[in-house]
Amino acid sequence: MLLGRLRAVAASVATARGLATAPRGEGRQLLLRQLFEASSCTYTYLLADAATGDAVIIDPVLETVPRDLQLLRELGLTRRYAGEGPPTAPRPLNPAHLLL
């Protein structure tokens, strides 16, 4: 269910921002990585269009920004957007997306 929701959000962002490279289901490949941050027990999600290399990072954690940037480099991706997903529990504002 979460994966379906993330795909829907990524598709709508890509379409709205002109990042979509083909109509849904026609040769597009979505790259998804779920990254865990142990001290806060939170997940960061990396979504990317495999064809263009455009990437979105959702819920980045300040302490793991270097890891996330390294992963982008290793995969040959370009970060286009970073931000927080919908809050599921009370948590402090995360400024990590400003560093990405």
Side-chain angles (χ1 to χ4, degrees), residues 10-11 14-15 18-23 26-32 46-56 72 75-78 80:
T15 301
L19 299 176
T21 58
E26 293 182 16
R28 289 176 57 194
Q29 289 187 323
L30 177 69
L31 173 71
L32 171 67
L46 168 65
L47 295 170
D49 182 330
T52 65
D54 292 332
V56 177
L72 287 170
L75 296 174
L77 301 173
T78 302
R80 297 291 181 201

Side-chain angles (χ1 to χ4, degrees), residues 3-83:
L3 180 57
R5 215 165 128 197
L6 287 174
R7 282 186 178 159
V9 168
S12 64
V13 168
T15 301
R17 301 292 185 180
L19 299 176
T21 58
R24 185 179 180 120
E26 293 182 16
R28 289 176 57 194
Q29 289 187 323
L30 177 69
L31 173 71
L32 171 67
R33 293 287 192 274
Q34 182 182 38
L35 309 165
F36 184 68
E37 199 286 307
S39 65
S40 63
C41 293
T42 58
Y43 289 98
T44 296
Y45 299 92
L46 168 65
L47 295 170
D49 182 330
T52 65
D54 292 332
V56 177
I57 297 181
I58 301 170
D59 289 336
V61 177
L62 188 59
E63 291 77 16
T64 58
V65 166
R67 174 204 64 187
D68 300 344
L69 293 175
Q70 178 63 30
L71 181 59
L72 287 170
R73 283 190 295 274
E74 288 174 5
L75 296 174
L77 301 173
T78 302
R79 182 203 44 88
R80 297 291 181 201
Y81 302 97

